[in-house]
Amino acid sequence: MNAAGAWLVELRRLVLLSIGALAAGWILGFPWLVLALALLALLGRWLYQLQRLQRWLADPSIEPPEAQGIWGVIYDRLYKVQRAAQERQALLQSRLDYLQGSLSSMHDGAIMVNAQGAIEWSNSAAERLLGLRYPTDRGQALLNLVRLPEFHRYFLAAAFDSPLQVTIKGEHAQYLQFSVTSFGGGDRLVFVRDVTKEAQLEQMRRDFVGNVSHELRTPLTVIKGYLETILANAGQLESRYRRPLEQMEQQAARMESLLKDLLWLSRIESVRTQPRREQVNICALLEELEDELHTSHPGRKLLLELAATDTVAGDYRELHSAVSNLVLNAFKYSKDDSIVTVSWRREGGRLSLSVQDQGIGIDMVHLPRLTERFYRVDDSRSSATGGTGLGLAIVKHVAAAHRAELRIESTPGAGSTFTLVFPG
C-alpha cells in the first residue's frame, strides 16, 4: 500500500470511529463524552506507536516494529531508508579501508587531516619519518606534533601547488619532502617522502659542476690570454694560421662564457634556501641595465615602461642577472632595428616584470623544456648567436629563489614575452 492510500484508509477509520462513537453515545445519552473517549483511545494508540518508533530509532540494530495502516507504511519507509544508508556507509567504509590499506603499504608517509587540522589517520611510514603514532595521536593537531617551522608556514598558507622540501639538521642531515592534497570538505591528505639520497646526489652533481668549472677557468684563461697575445701581432703571422687562431679564440671565449654561467648557476643553487631580505629597487636596476646595454650594444633599442615603484625582497645580483639574460636573449633573436620592451607594473595583487621582443618567436612545443639546461630550440641558431644554453635555466632558478613565476608567451614570427611574476 502506498502512502496516499494508507492516509485515506486512516482517515476513513477516523471518520467511522467518530460516527460509531457518536451513535453509541447517542444511545447511551452521552454522545460527546463517548466521542472524546474514543478519540483519547486513538491518541493513546498513536502515542504507543510513537514510543515504538522512538525505541527503534534509538537502537537501529533491532527489528523494526510491525503495524497496520499508516504506521506500517512509516515503518517500512524508514526501514528502507535505514538499509540504504547502511549500504552506503558499508560501501564508503570498504573504500576507506581499501585506501588506508593501500596507503599503509606505502614507503612514503601518509596522514589524513580534517578541516580543523587534527589527525584522522596515519600510516606506519609517518611514524618512522615524523614520529606520529596511530591511533594514539588521533584527534591531535598535526602542527603540534610536527615541529618544523617551514612546514607550519607551508601548511597554514594552503598554497600546495608545489611540494616543500625541509632539511632536518643533525649528525646526518635528513631531507623530507611534503606534498598536500585537499579533498572533501576541507580535509587534507599529507604525503611525506625521505628524499635524502636524491638531495645528496643533487648536491654531489652541483659540487662536481662547480668544481670542474672552477678548475677549468685557470687553464682556459691561460689559453685565451696566449691566443689574444698572438692575434694582437696577427700581421707577423702567416695567413694560413690566422683563421684557425681566430676560430680558436672565438671558441675559447664561448667556453669562458659557458664556465661563467655554470659557476653563477652553481652559486645561485647553493644559496637558494637563504631568505631574501634586501629590498631591491627594480626601477633603479632596469635603469642601470639600460646604461650598461647602451655601452655594450649601442645599436640596439631598449624601451623601459616603469609603471610601478614597488621594490622586491631579494638579491640584487641575481635579479640583475635574470633580467639581463632575458634582454640579451631578446637582442640575440630579434632584428637589430627592432625594439625590445621591458616593463615593470603592478597587476592586481602581483608585480610583473616583462621582456618583450619582436623576434622570430618560439614554437609552443618547445616552451615546456625551454628552461632546461643546455636545451636548444635550434642547435645551428644557438651556435650562430653564441648562446650557452644556460640563460633561461639561470632565470628559472632566480625566479624560484624569489618565489616568482616565470611565464613564457611566444608566437613564431611575431616575437616572445618573458614575464617574472612576483608576489605583491
Side-chain angles (χ1 to χ4, degrees), residues 227-240:
L227 287 171
E228 290 175 351
T229 301
I230 294 172
L231 287 172
N233 301 284
Q236 303 177 16
L237 295 174
E238 295 184 24
S239 58
R240 58 176 177 169

Side-chain angles (χ1 to χ4, degrees), residues 36-88:
L37 292 173
L39 292 177
L40 282 174
L42 179 63
L43 178 61
R45 175 175 173 269
W46 281 40
L47 288 174
Y48 171 67
Q49 296 294 350
L50 285 172
Q51 183 186 27
R52 298 176 70 194
L53 176 61
Q54 187 273 335
R55 190 164 54 244
W56 175 48
L57 293 177
D59 185 7
S61 61
I62 65 176
E63 289 295 321
E66 293 186 4
Q68 299 295 325
I70 188 61
W71 285 102
V73 173
I74 291 174
Y75 291 143
D76 289 342
R77 290 291 178 88
L78 288 175
Y79 182 65
K80 289 179 181 178
V81 171
Q82 183 191 67
R83 288 290 301 273
Q86 289 174 346
E87 290 174 359
R88 285 196 298 270

Side-chain angles (χ1 to χ4, degrees), residues 19-266:
I19 293 173
L22 284 172
W26 184 268
I27 295 172
L28 295 174
F30 305 102
W32 300 113
L33 178 60
V34 174
L35 176 62
L37 292 173
L39 292 177
L40 282 174
L42 179 63
L43 178 61
R45 175 175 173 269
W46 281 40
L47 288 174
Y48 171 67
Q49 296 294 350
L50 285 172
Q51 183 186 27
R52 298 176 70 194
L53 176 61
Q54 187 273 335
R55 190 164 54 244
W56 175 48
L57 293 177
D59 185 7
S61 61
I62 65 176
E63 289 295 321
E66 293 186 4
Q68 299 295 325
I70 188 61
W71 285 102
V73 173
I74 291 174
Y75 291 143
D76 289 342
R77 290 291 178 88
L78 288 175
Y79 182 65
K80 289 179 181 178
V81 171
Q82 183 191 67
R83 288 290 301 273
Q86 289 174 346
E87 290 174 359
R88 285 196 298 270
Q89 183 178 2
L91 177 61
L92 290 173
Q93 186 62 45
S94 66
R95 291 179 176 175
L96 179 61
D97 292 341
Y98 176 78
L99 174 61
Q100 290 181 346
S102 301
L103 295 175
S104 295
S105 62
M106 291 178 59
H107 183 71
D108 298 339
I111 309 109
M112 289 184 181
V113 183
N114 63 22
Q116 289 71 42
I119 298 172
E120 290 290 336
W121 177 87
S122 62
N123 64 358
S124 57
E127 179 176 359
R128 174 173 51 83
L129 295 172
L130 298 174
L132 302 180
R133 294 174 296 171
Y134 182 82
T136 305
D137 292 334
R138 183 174 184 179
Q140 298 292 319
L142 176 64
L143 297 184
N144 290 343
L145 300 177
V146 181
R147 299 183 179 277
L148 298 172
E150 301 96 325
F151 176 70
H152 281 218
R153 291 191 291 268
Y154 177 71
F155 190 83
L156 293 175
F160 305 135
D161 296 335
S162 301
L164 168 72
Q165 183 167 307
V166 176
T167 304
I168 301 177
K169 297 180 180 180
E171 183 178 354
H172 300 287
Q174 184 182 25
Y175 299 84
L176 298 180
Q177 180 177 285
F178 292 89
S179 57
V180 182
T181 302
S182 299
F183 67 97
D187 296 343
R188 280 153 287 185
L189 183 59
V190 181
F191 289 101
V192 53
R193 292 183 59 208
D194 186 345
V195 294
T196 302
K197 290 184 178 179
E198 293 89 335
Q200 289 174 343
L201 287 173
E202 178 65 15
Q203 187 60 47
M204 289 173 60
R205 181 194 62 78
R206 290 182 196 148
D207 292 343
F208 173 78
V209 171
N211 292 336
V212 170
S213 301
H214 184 75
E215 292 298 326
L216 286 175
R217 287 189 73 179
T218 300
L220 186 61
T221 301
V222 174
I223 293 171
K224 190 169 180 289
Y226 277 118
L227 287 171
E228 290 175 351
T229 301
I230 294 172
L231 287 172
N233 301 284
Q236 303 177 16
L237 295 174
E238 295 184 24
S239 58
R240 58 176 177 169
Y241 295 130
R242 191 175 304 156
R243 180 58 179 164
L245 287 170
E246 289 175 349
Q247 291 180 335
M248 290 169 65
E249 185 188 35
Q250 290 173 358
Q251 295 303 317
R254 186 177 178 188
M255 182 64 73
E256 185 179 47
S257 177
L258 175 61
L259 291 179
K260 189 182 298 181
D261 283 349
L262 280 171
L263 288 170
W264 180 238
L265 185 58
S266 178

